[in-house]
């Protein structure tokens, strides 16, 4: 099956630094990718929709200048947490839709997540 | 953001028992999905439902799309230790192109 690779799997950084997380579709092209955030023992909350070649669409309450999204190719989207603070510590998960099979949820694949810890 | 109400929040069962969990929403969804998430991993799709009333099985798992399109349930029969994890329902609203709203999750523990 299709695979979505997310890197790094975990990262520890100092407060005030920026962290970049990559999401790659390994064997399919994805015009649309999604970024979720998950706090401990909570559900996944959609942060933004990443669109190849255009600006990302952010959910209400998510700061676009804080969470920079770049989707420069059909297989790569990046999420940069700028000037990270301890409250940004969370599990970040991406998902990608397999373009070749049309708009069906059975072809929506999730990455393995990135655990961000900000000291 | 919006979340779906999922119950129970957690379950502790013995190996071999059947499990049932459900998900409800105030909104109508045109697609319901059930995922399993292991610690430190992304969710993995278990079952997808596309029509109201649809009943679909995947091995020991069975899920149904409620007639009102506002609810869904997941059953696991004859549970085994590897069923341990967090189960999430997710719904997709019409016209939102793969944009999912997740449930609050059901944490399942299986004892021998």
């Amino acid at each position: 099956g299709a695979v979505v690779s997310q890197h790094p799997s975990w990262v520890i950084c100092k407060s005030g630094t920026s962290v970049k997380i990559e999401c790659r579709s390994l064997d399919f092209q994805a015009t649309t990718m999604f970024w979720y955030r998950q706090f401990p023992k909570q559900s996944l909350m959609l942060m933004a929709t990443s669109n190849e070649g255009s600006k990302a669409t952010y959910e209400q309450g998510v700061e676009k200048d804080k969470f920079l999204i770049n989707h420069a190719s059909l297989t790569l989207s990046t999420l940069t947490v700028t000037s990270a603070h301890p409250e940004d510590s969370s599990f970040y998960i991406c998902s990608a839709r397999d373009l070749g099979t049309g708009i069906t949820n059975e072809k929506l694949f999730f990455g393995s997540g990135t655990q961000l810890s900000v000291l | 953001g919006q979340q779906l109400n999922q119950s129970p929040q957690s379950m502790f069962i013995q190996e071999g028992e059947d499990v049932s969990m459900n998900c409800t929403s105030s909104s109508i969804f045109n697609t319901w999905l059930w995922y399993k998430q292991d610690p430190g991993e992304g969710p993995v799709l278990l079952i997808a439902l596309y029509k109201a009333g649809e009943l679909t099985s995947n091995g020991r798992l069975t899920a149904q799309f409620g007639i009102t399109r506002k609810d869904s349930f997941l059953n696991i029969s004859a549970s085994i230790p590897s069923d341990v994890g967090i189960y999430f329902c997710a719904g997709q609203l019409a016209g939102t192109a793969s944009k999912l709203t997740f449930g609050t999750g059901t944490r399942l523990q299986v004892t021998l």
Side-chain angles (χ1 to χ4, degrees):
Chain A
V3 176
V4 173
S5 174
Q6 195 170 333
H7 178 81
S9 56
W10 58 270
V11 57
I12 301 173
C13 69
K14 292 182 179 180
S15 183
T17 61
S18 295
V19 174
K20 179 184 286 188
I21 302 170
E22 294 186 346
C23 182
R24 294 181 184 274
S25 55
L26 297 185
D27 55 1
F28 65 98
Q29 294 181 326
T31 56
T32 304
M33 293 185 178
F34 302 89
W35 288 96
Y36 294 83
R37 180 168 51 184
Q38 184 178 32
F39 292 107
K41 296 186 178 181
Q42 293 190 22
S43 186
L44 286 75
M45 297 298 293
L46 181 65
M47 299 175 65
T49 302
S50 172
N51 304 297
E52 188 269 335
S54 64
K55 292 181 179 180
T57 304
Y58 290 82
E59 296 300 301
Q60 189 174 6
V62 178
E63 301 175 55
K64 61 180 181 180
D65 295 329
K66 170 78 172 176
F67 299 98
L68 300 179
I69 292 174
N70 184 282
H71 194 155
S73 76
L74 286 172
T75 60
L76 174 63
S77 175
T78 61
L79 169 68
T80 300
V81 183
T82 62
S83 187
H85 288 93
E87 58 265 30
D88 298 323
S89 298
S90 185
F91 192 56
Y92 293 85
I93 308 172
C94 70
S95 68
R97 179 164 61 89
D98 189 336
L99 177 67
T101 55
I103 304 176
T104 62
N105 283 290
E106 284 188 300
K107 304 304 178 184
L108 183 67
F109 301 97
F110 283 82
S112 55
T114 297
Q115 180 64 51
L116 171 63
S117 297
V118 184
L119 304 178
Chain B
Q2 181 185 10
Q3 281 189 337
L4 304 178
N5 296 316
Q6 195 171 336
S7 65
Q9 186 175 15
S10 62
M11 301 181 72
F12 293 83
I13 63 170
Q14 286 190 327
E15 184 179 8
E17 290 185 354
D18 297 342
V19 174
S20 184
M21 60 191 79
N22 66 71
C23 202
T24 60
S25 170
S26 57
S27 303
I28 291 175
F29 288 97
N30 68 329
T31 302
W32 281 93
L33 305 161
W34 285 92
Y35 289 88
K36 179 174 183 278
Q37 185 181 29
D38 292 326
E41 297 289 333
V44 175
L45 181 66
L46 299 174
I47 293 179
L49 303 160
Y50 300 105
K51 296 181 181 179
E54 179 181 352
L55 184 70
T56 298
S57 294
N58 178 9
R60 294 179 295 107
L61 278 60
T62 302
Q64 185 160 29
F65 191 146
I67 292 292
T68 64
R69 296 168 63 192
K70 294 183 177 181
D71 63 325
S72 176
F73 73 75
L74 174 71
N75 287 340
I76 305 173
S77 63
S79 59
I80 59 178
S82 61
D83 291 334
V84 168
I86 304 175
Y87 292 79
F88 289 101
C89 62
Q92 181 196 353
L93 296 169
T96 56
S98 299
K99 185 174 173 180
L100 300 179
T101 299
F102 279 83
T104 48
T106 295
R107 187 179 298 269
L108 179 64
Q109 292 282 1
V110 180
T111 59
L112 299 175

